[in-house]
């Protein structure tokens, strides 16, 4: 169900239910932030809360409040919610804990959460076990603690599952304007995706940052992706934790490769969001996006007064998705005019200190570097500590940066190599003039990489194939698995099953030599010594069969002329969907750890792009003059496996083909595994 969160997040009236320090803090914070609406404390006995006259009950309020903070115990919360719902309130934050998040210690928690949802009905709620939110645009908050936000006219919205992390993020001193800080608690009703969708509807929000511990309600995440794309609002994800559900199946290589974080990364990629790896990257990326939006390309420049900083910039960017293009003629002419003949011109540029304190020449040099072909120019400047030094000598850099920005209109950031070397007051001054203050060179480069990736064209994907809950599963015998996949037009070798060594020898004669002999009853045949290749006589087949402790045998044609071997696998990850893994196959799977993951369904172009990301792609494309694999046949093989999963999604737990032999004219699945619900 889609609920309208606009009254809750942008209220004109706020009710605070419950006394004590928590309720008083909310009343005080609303006054401190200059909230212009009504604040109505509700307390059965207190005459006032935080100096504001109190109402004895929700029924006594003048009308249903737009937003309510419920700061009473978990049992009383249920009654208050029902009263607010009946008054037509716009939404509420449930502060109390002891619901589903405490189920391991208190069996009543799950039942109380069901009662909580019933009490809320159609009314939106945040939590329980939740601090609430701060709206710094309007000075409205349901936040029972201190925070570091100040009023702003526009900025980024941040939502997190952790109230403590939210508090910490509000305390940042990095010049990032935060419009909203929202906590989700245990998401009994309203999840992070729905919260994010509500926040980006505010036209004053420039970008959305989400701290995610785990995904749920995949359709809600798809809806957020679509709406963010329509509104042009970039979304940045800080994903923590690992999916234990993705490790439920461990019998195959696919399960190992797709376990842990692969499903989460594939989901983030599919939604068109960007992922960062730390809180500093999170903040710096959101800051860059707030001021510049997604970058048009990954072409950047760096200019500093030190060769050490120029080298550090180049090394920091090495291996990341940004590039320092060579200077063009216009840049060279402008820089030479500003710097003279004693500076070696390059990108990154060390302009030395010949022009330090000459604001006009510094402006000329920096403006010359800000070529229209660049997505971002980084001015590396570290400010001295004001408690021990005189920072006045650095005013020239601020003035030159602001002047160069005004002259060119290009995207420009002033970057401190260390976060603490960008004073907050300097960051505010730069930001007011459109220069992005970035704290820390490594995080600044990471932010530029993310912003450039978000600037690339993104095509909406087909709706996700949503998985059913994980079930106990059985392993389908290889021969049967191949028969099922062959019915979806997946090419497999000619084969016969045999119950004895003698029958295996006779089957080999019918198939034609050379053949492959496989012993049945093993999940990993190679490790068990249950695979023999290139057998060329009936006697060799029978002898090999007798040496295997197998319950039966599979005799197959020996496929030759292989260019490369691939693994194609799908594993059901209840948290993220059906994870398709493409990897180097055969004996190289574990050795190379060369894999990439997508979520089903996928199209031909997505398969081609994923194959090209593999290191083994060089073999497919004819490494050192070798034969070229049939890419179309590989693509068709992947689509055939996908077709089987889609048709059997209600019971498939896992499918793996390893190896898929890639030849110049075809692709053949010589081994297959299927796990399905019993």
């Amino acid at each position: 169900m889609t609920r309208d969160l606009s009254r809750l997040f942008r209220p004109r009236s706020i009710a605070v239910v419950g006394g004590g320090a928590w309720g008083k803090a909310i009343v005080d914070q609303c006054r401190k932030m200059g909230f212009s609406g009504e604040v109505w404390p509700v307390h059965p006995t207190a005459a006032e809360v935080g100096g504001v006259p109190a109402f004895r009950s929700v029924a006594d309020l003048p009308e249903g409040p737009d937003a309510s903070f419920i700061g009473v115990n978990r049992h009383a919360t249920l009654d208050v919610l029902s009263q607010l719902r009946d008054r037509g309130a716009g939404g509420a934050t449930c502060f109390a804990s002891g619901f589903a998040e405490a189920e391991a210690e208190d069996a009543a928690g799950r039942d109380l959460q069901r009662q909580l949802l019933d009490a809320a009905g159609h009314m939106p709620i945040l939590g329980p076990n939740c601090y609430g939110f701060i709206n710094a645009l309007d000075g409205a908050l349901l936040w029972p603690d201190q925070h570091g936000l100040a009023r702003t006219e526009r900025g980024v919205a941040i939502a997190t599952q952790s109230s403590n992390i939210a508090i910490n993020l509000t305390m940042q001193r990095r010049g990032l304007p935060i419009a909203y800080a929202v906590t989700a608690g245990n998401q009994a009703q309203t999840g992070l995706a729905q919260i994010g969708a509500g926040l980006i509807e505010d036209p004053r929000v420039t970008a959305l940052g989400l701290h995610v511990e785990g995904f749920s309600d995949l359709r809600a995440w798809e809806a957020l992706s679509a709406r963010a794309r329509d509104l042009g609002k970039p979304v940045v994800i800080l994903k923590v934790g690992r999916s234990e559900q993705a490790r439920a199946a461990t019998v195959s290589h696919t399960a190992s490769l797709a376990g842990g974080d692969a499903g989460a990364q594939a989901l983030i990629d599919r939604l068109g969001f960007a992922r960062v790896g730390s809180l500093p990257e999170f903040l710096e990326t959101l800051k860059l996006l707030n001021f510049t939006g997604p970058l048009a390309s990954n072409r950047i420049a760096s200019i500093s007064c030190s060769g050490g900083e120029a080298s550090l910039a180049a090394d920091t960017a090495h291996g990341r998705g940004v590039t320092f293009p060579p200077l063009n003629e216009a840049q060279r002419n402008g820089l030479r005019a500003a710097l003279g003949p004693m500076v070696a011109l390059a990108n990154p540029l060390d302009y030395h200190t010949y022009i330090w304190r000459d604001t006009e020449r510094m402006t000329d040099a920096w403006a010359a570097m800000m070529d229209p072909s660049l997505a971002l120019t980084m001015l590396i400047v570290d400010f001295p500590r004001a408690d021990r030094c005189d920072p006045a000598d650095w005013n020239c850099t601020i003035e030159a940066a602001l002047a160069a920005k005004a002259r060119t209109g290009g995207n420009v950031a002033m970057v401190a190599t260390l976060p603490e070397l960008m004073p907050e007051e300097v960051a505010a001054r730069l930001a007011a003039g459109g220069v992005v203050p970035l704290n820390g060179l490594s995080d600044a480069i990471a932010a530029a990489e993310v912003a450039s990736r978000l600037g690339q064209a993104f095509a909406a994907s087909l709706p996700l194939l949503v998985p059913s809950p994980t079930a106990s599963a059985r392993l389908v015998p290889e021969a049967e698995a191949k028969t099922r996949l062959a019915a979806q037009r997946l090419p497999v070798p000619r084969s016969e099953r045999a119950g004895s060594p003698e029958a295996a020898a006779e089957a080999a004669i019918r198939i034609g030599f050379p053949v492959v002999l496989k012993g049945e009853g093993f999940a990993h045949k190679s490790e068990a010594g249950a695979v023999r290749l290139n057998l060329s006589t009936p006697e060799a087949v029978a002898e090999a069969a007798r040496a295997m402790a197998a319950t039966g045998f599979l005799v197959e044609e020996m496929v030759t002329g292989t260019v490369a071997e691939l693994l194609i696998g799908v594993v059901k990850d209840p948290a993220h969907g059906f994870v398709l893994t493409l990897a180097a196959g055969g004996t190289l799977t574990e050795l190379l750890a060369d894999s990439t993951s997508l979520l089903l369904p996928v199209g031909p172009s997505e398969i081609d792009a994923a194959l090209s990301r593999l290191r083994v792609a060089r073999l497919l494309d004819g490494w050192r003059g070798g034969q070229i694999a049939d890419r179309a046949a590989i693509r068709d093989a992947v689509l055939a496996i996908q077709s089987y999963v889609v048709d059997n999604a209600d019971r498939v737990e896992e499918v793996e083909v390893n190896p898929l032999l890639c030849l110049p004219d075809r692709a053949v699945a010589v081994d297959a595994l299927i796990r399905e619900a019993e």
Side-chain angles (χ1 to χ4, degrees), residues 196-407:
L199 294 173
I200 60 175
E201 292 296 335
D202 192 324
R204 300 167 293 179
V205 168
T206 58
L208 175 65
L210 300 174
H211 165 256
V212 181
E213 295 173 12
F215 292 99
S216 61
D217 192 352
L218 297 178
R219 293 290 180 245
W221 286 99
E222 288 182 312
L224 170 61
S225 171
R227 189 59 180 153
R229 188 165 56 251
D230 290 344
L231 295 173
K233 303 282 180 82
V235 180
V236 179
I237 302 288
L238 176 59
K239 171 67 175 67
V240 298
R242 301 287 178 176
S243 170
E244 291 295 333
Q245 293 166 309
R247 298 195 190 110
T250 57
V251 71
S252 72
H253 294 297
T254 298
S256 176
L257 293 170
D261 211 38
Q265 185 63 59
L267 177 61
I268 293 167
D269 292 342
R270 188 183 185 92
L271 295 172
F273 302 160
R275 186 180 189 181
V276 295
S278 68
L279 286 173
E281 279 188 29
F282 185 67
L283 292 173
E284 296 308 302
T285 300
L286 287 171
K287 190 195 307 179
L288 182 59
L289 290 168
N290 176 75
F291 288 102
T292 70
L295 297 179
S297 73
N298 67 345
R299 295 165 56 86
I300 65 174
S302 162
I303 182 168
S304 62
C305 66
S306 162
E309 289 170 342
S311 298
L312 187 61
D315 283 354
T316 302
H318 183 70
R320 306 209 68 144
V322 294
T323 182
F324 290 103
L327 300 175
N328 60 34
E329 195 63 28
Q331 288 173 303
R332 287 184 172 277
N333 291 338
L335 289 168
R336 181 64 66 217
L339 299 175
M342 297 182 65
V343 174
L345 302 183
N347 181 25
L349 175 67
D350 166 18
Y351 68 92
H352 300 268
T353 53
Y354 301 122
I355 60 172
W356 191 267
R357 303 184 188 91
D358 188 335
T359 303
E360 184 175 349
R361 290 181 68 190
M362 292 177 74
T363 301
D364 291 341
W366 291 359
M369 188 60 122
M370 297 175 198
D371 191 78
S373 66
L374 297 172
L376 179 68
T377 300
M378 293 184 172
L379 314 173
I380 300 179
V381 179
D382 289 307
F383 290 83
R385 343 175 10 141
D387 59 338
R388 299 178 184 175
C389 307
D390 181 5
D393 204 21
W394 273 254
N395 283 335
C396 58
T397 65
I398 302 172
E399 294 167 2
L402 295 172
K405 167 67 178 179
R407 182 186 299 181

Side-chain angles (χ1 to χ4, degrees), residues 56-81:
R56 291 194 175 276
S57 69
V58 170
D60 293 331
L61 294 175
E63 61 185 12
D66 292 326
S68 302
F69 180 86
I70 304 175
V72 297
N73 68 59
R74 60 180 181 167
H75 296 284
T77 293
L78 303 178
D79 184 51
V80 173
L81 268 179

Side-chain angles (χ1 to χ4, degrees), residues 243-260 470-471 473 475 523-524 527 570-572 590 653-654 656 673 675:
S243 170
E244 291 295 333
Q245 293 166 309
R247 298 195 190 110
T250 57
V251 71
S252 72
H253 294 297
T254 298
S256 176
L257 293 170
T470 296
L475 186 64
H524 299 291
E527 289 86 337
V570 177
V571 65
K572 184 174 75 175
E590 293 178 336
E653 295 290 315
E654 186 176 6
E656 177 180 283
L673 174 152
R675 291 176 64 250

